[in-house]
Amino acid sequence: MTLTDEIKRRRTFAIISHPDAGKTTLTEKLLLFGGAIHVAGAVKSNKIKKTATSDWMEIEKQRGISVATSVMGFDYGDYKINILDTPGHQDFAEDTYRTLTAVDSVIIVVDVAKGVEQQTRRLMEVCRMRNTPVIIFVNKLDREGRDPFDILDELEQELKIAVRPLSWPINIGAKFKGVYNIYEKGIDLFTPDKQRVSERVEIDDLNDPRIDEAVGETDASKLREDLDLIEGVYPEFDREAYSRGELAPVFFGSALNTFGVKELLDCFVEIAPCPSPVSAEEREVRPEEEKFSGFVFKIHANMDPNHRSCIAFVKICSGTFMRNEPYLHVRSGKSLKFASPTAFMAQKKSIVDVAYPGDIVGIPDSGGSFKIGDTLTQGEKLHYRGLPSFSPEMFKYIENTDPMKSKQLEKGIQQLMDEGVAQLFTNQFNGRKIIGTVGQLQFEVIQYRLLHEYGAQCRWEPISLYKACWIESDDADALEAFKRRKHQFMAVDRDGRDVFLADSSYVLTMAQSDFPKLRFHFSSEF
Ligand code: G4P
């Protein structure tokens, strides 16, 4: 197979949802269809049970397990599918944002009873920033839920994307009878059997009397009415608009009952994009280029303090990756060889000799060589963009409690930040270090890991901040004037960029209106 053939058959994506909508269940069913697993229940849930939220060691254990399921690769027909798993717990949302930089498309799972929830909304914002193509799966149709038209309206409004149903439910909850597949024209009848794919009634057109036989006259005429309305209201499915991230096809089903999942998968492999060109700072890199390049989007640390080692996850952007070939680690300028890169096929990790664009390889790293965002190439000095940091939600001063160990603390903080555990800002006024996170759990993780992996002790001190904004201006004087006025609230991020720490939304709004020549950004990529 040529490199182009390998690229064309790859589908690299993530499934995202608000916790509990059914991401794990859907992932597992997709693996069942791919023949990657044979029984339901084989995928260890990466979801953190609600009861365990205060017990983050338990969460880390689960995250440890989840290394194996971080990437699930399998063949489906002629396609090679790579599903990138994302943490279910919202305190690790930053991990999910970064994973989204390594996918070519996403499937969003929405609970039919709950509709669009907070986490879904935020993740969709990240997809929108990158114009990532999105397919939506409305799940749990076997339960009582909302009217599907209401759900479509809500998806459009809340996720700010045009939608187009490609399947349609026949009733819902206890009366749920099946799904009409608009894309392929056929009805799948629902049998609430948790392990079996149900029966399909092929029909020629909507007047086919077999519909009435299958679901009864009342539901058949409701279906015809609904579809009339859909055809009238929603434009034809436009694949180009989907590829540009402007239109989301919507499927209905029940992941738990393996219902509507195959339809989703079959349509997905057909319409979802294969790896596309990626922008580096220097130029656009096409996947078909002969020379290998890729970037680190995730670093997974080993929680065992006796073996301080990590796995760096590299997304291949171009060319062919080969084991034991020397590659340039652009940031350090060093040439590195990887003797045991791993590929992830379903649940197994195995040493891989070759990998292609769209694939993810895991590179064991015991020396802390890798940082999130690092680029590997065959010699060219490329820097991949698109790994933004977002303004954290919570901030605390980090203080050293053991003066003898300040070096260890420095090193620990630096390495944990390189791994992307949280963000560090250094206040320029008093030199104090501020750690910003998206959730309380990360503070606990950091404190524990600093102690157990670096022998450094720290404590947290409160600081009341609303947002961290990266600031810039074309007018150097205006920038300086701002920094002088706000000197107590000016910090630099890890890369030395100016960050304004606003302590309230009012202060931020005032700053924006007082300094019109400044631009305030809520993510580090602008
Ligand atoms: P998540 O990864 O998005 O957090 O969700 P997950 O798949 O773990 O699903 C959350 C809960 O919803 C699970 O129940 C799961 O069985 C259930 N579920 C998923 N899909 C469907 C569906 O189509 N219909 C119905 N009725 N339920 C569905 P749980 O009781 O929280 O967990 P478990 O004990 O069953 O694992």
Side-chain angles (χ1 to χ4, degrees):
M1 222 184 276
T2 66
L3 176 59
T4 310
D5 293 337
E6 290 287 2
I7 295 166
K8 285 213 172 113
R9 73 186 199 96
R10 274 170 170 71
R11 299 286 180 272
T12 302
F13 73 107
I15 303 179
I16 53 179
S17 72
H18 192 84
D20 267 357
K23 179 170 74 73
T24 312
T25 313
L26 181 65
T27 307
E28 179 169 290
K29 296 304 161 89
L30 295 179
L31 292 179
L32 275 171
F33 281 118
I37 54 170
H38 300 288
V39 282
V43 174
K44 286 276 177 295
S45 171
N46 188 10
K47 180 181 71 160
I48 283 94
K49 300 279 177 215
K50 280 187 210 81
T51 48
T53 43
S54 56
D55 182 2
W56 69 267
M57 267 310 282
E58 189 52 38
I59 291 171
E60 279 302 323
K61 261 191 240 151
Q62 294 188 30
R63 269 158 61 86
I65 294 166
S66 76
V67 174
T69 56
S70 277
V71 181
M72 288 159 280
F74 61 92
D75 286 310
Y76 181 69
D78 294 335
Y79 296 97
K80 163 82 194 289
I81 295 181
N82 293 313
I83 306 181
L84 274 56
D85 199 12
T86 53
H89 198 288
Q90 60 185 23
D91 282 12
F92 297 103
E94 194 84 20
D95 268 12
T96 305
Y97 300 153
R98 277 192 294 263
T99 298
L100 292 181
T101 63
V103 300
D104 299 304
S105 68
V106 304
I107 294 180
I108 295 180
V109 185
V110 173
D111 182 324
V112 69
K114 296 187 177 146
V116 175
E117 294 170 89
Q118 185 209 0
Q119 188 72 354
T120 325
R121 220 173 282 128
R122 285 175 58 181
L123 293 168
M124 182 65 206
E125 272 168 37
V126 182
C127 294
R128 208 176 306 108
M129 279 171 71
R130 312 177 54 82
N131 303 320
T132 310
V134 164
I135 295 181
I136 299 171
F137 183 71
V138 181
N139 191 27
K140 308 196 186 181
L141 267 286
D142 59 315
R143 287 224 196 126
E144 296 308 322
R146 312 241 304 268
D147 178 73
F149 281 111
D150 285 353
I151 289 280
L152 291 179
D153 285 350
E154 185 173 307
L155 290 170
E156 276 199 329
Q157 278 166 19
E158 298 275 330
L159 300 181
K160 301 190 183 72
I161 187 165
V163 296
R164 189 359 161 152
L166 289 187
S167 77
W168 195 251
I170 302 166
N171 241 317
I172 186 169
K175 295 197 208 116
F176 180 52
K177 292 202 177 137
V179 166
Y180 175 67
N181 188 329
I182 302 175
Y183 193 63
E184 287 178 351
K185 295 209 167 45
I187 288 184
D188 288 313
L189 289 180
F190 177 64
T191 40
D193 174 337
K194 294 183 173 35
Q195 303 296 332
R196 205 166 54 84
V197 182
S198 18
E199 177 191 346
R200 159 161 281 210
V201 181
E202 299 289 346
I203 55 163
D204 302 324
D205 68 76
L206 274 175
N207 294 318
D208 199 320
R210 276 177 292 186
I211 301 182
D212 302 67
E213 279 164 36
V215 302
E217 262 173 47
T218 322
D219 281 333
S221 57
K222 172 82 167 55
L223 175 68
R224 291 186 183 106
E225 269 170 39
D226 283 356
L227 290 172
D228 248 8
L229 195 57
I230 290 169
E231 298 308 326
V233 172
Y234 295 97
E236 278 290 294
F237 173 62
D238 175 354
R239 193 170 163 180
E240 292 301 309
Y242 159 71
S243 305
R244 291 193 301 269
E246 292 165 6
L247 175 79
V250 181
F251 288 83
F252 292 84
S254 163
L256 187 64
N257 294 287
T258 325
F259 197 82
V261 176
K262 188 160 190 306
E263 291 68 23
L264 170 76
L265 180 60
D266 286 338
C267 178
F268 167 79
V269 289
E270 202 180 308
I271 67 171
C274 62
S276 47
V278 186
S279 298
E281 267 166 38
E282 293 75 10
R283 64 184 184 87
E284 192 175 79
V285 181
R286 289 173 304 107
E288 309 80 37
E289 289 179 22
E290 217 176 284
K291 291 196 169 158
F292 157 76
S293 69
F295 67 87
V296 177
F297 67 94
K298 167 171 171 156
I299 292 180
H300 206 297
N302 183 350
M303 285 300 288
D304 180 350
N306 300 320
H307 306 93
R308 220 205 103 68
S309 66
C310 306
I311 297 181
F313 289 81
V314 177
K315 158 89 185 264
I316 298 172
C317 298
S318 69
T320 308
F321 172 90
M322 311 259 259
R323 184 159 83 96
N324 275 329
E325 278 292 301
Y327 291 127
L328 174 69
H329 179 245
V330 174
R331 183 170 51 83
S332 67
K334 284 188 192 146
S335 173
L336 302 176
K337 274 189 192 177
F338 308 111
S340 47
T342 43
F344 304 85
M345 284 302 280
Q347 315 229 272
K348 290 191 271 310
K349 279 199 301 181
S350 56
I351 304 272
V352 66
D353 289 316
V354 257
Y356 302 98
D359 287 342
I360 312 297
V361 290
I363 297 183
D365 174 22
S366 53
S369 319
F370 289 108
K371 269 192 197 187
I372 297 255
D374 278 359
T375 308
L376 291 171
T377 69
Q378 241 172 300
E380 190 177 348
K381 290 201 171 108
L382 290 173
H383 297 83
Y384 280 109
R385 283 184 306 196
L387 292 139
S389 305
F390 295 87
S391 174
E393 310 278 317
M394 300 175 121
F395 301 86
K396 285 182 187 184
Y397 282 123
I398 183 165
E399 296 297 341
N400 187 6
T401 50
D402 182 352
M404 302 300 287
K405 296 281 173 65
S406 59
K407 271 213 176 107
Q408 283 86 334
L409 185 72
E410 281 293 313
K411 184 171 172 220
I413 293 177
Q414 195 201 330
Q415 288 195 353
L416 293 184
M417 299 306 128
D418 286 351
E419 257 177 48
V421 175
Q423 292 180 59
L424 172 71
F425 303 100
T426 310
N427 188 317
Q428 294 305 89
F429 176 64
N430 54 21
R432 291 177 80 182
K433 288 190 165 59
I434 298 165
I435 302 284
T437 69
V438 289
Q440 174 59 30
L441 276 173
Q442 281 160 299
F443 291 112
E444 293 169 34
V445 172
I446 292 168
Q447 196 164 23
Y448 180 92
R449 289 190 56 188
L450 283 173
L451 182 62
H452 288 84
E453 292 171 34
Y454 300 90
Q457 290 186 35
C458 73
R459 79 186 137 78
W460 302 108
E461 277 193 17
I463 172 171
S464 163
L465 289 177
Y466 167 66
K467 274 216 155 64
C469 320
W470 284 263
I471 54 165
E472 58 160 2
S473 176
D474 301 326
D475 184 333
D477 292 340
L479 192 62
E480 274 317 305
F482 181 83
K483 282 160 75 171
R484 263 199 312 280
R485 167 96 71 92
K486 299 283 181 191
H487 67 288
Q488 291 186 355
F489 299 95
M490 287 309 302
V492 291
D493 72 3
R494 226 155 53 87
D495 302 317
R497 283 182 298 183
D498 289 323
V499 176
F500 169 50
L501 303 170
D503 53 358
S504 71
S505 82
Y506 174 75
V507 164
L508 180 60
T509 318
M510 288 306 287
Q512 283 167 320
S513 75
D514 289 351
F515 291 87
K517 285 185 178 160
L518 256 67
R519 291 184 290 277
F520 296 77
H521 302 280
F522 299 101
S523 82
S524 64
E525 187 184 291
F526 42 82

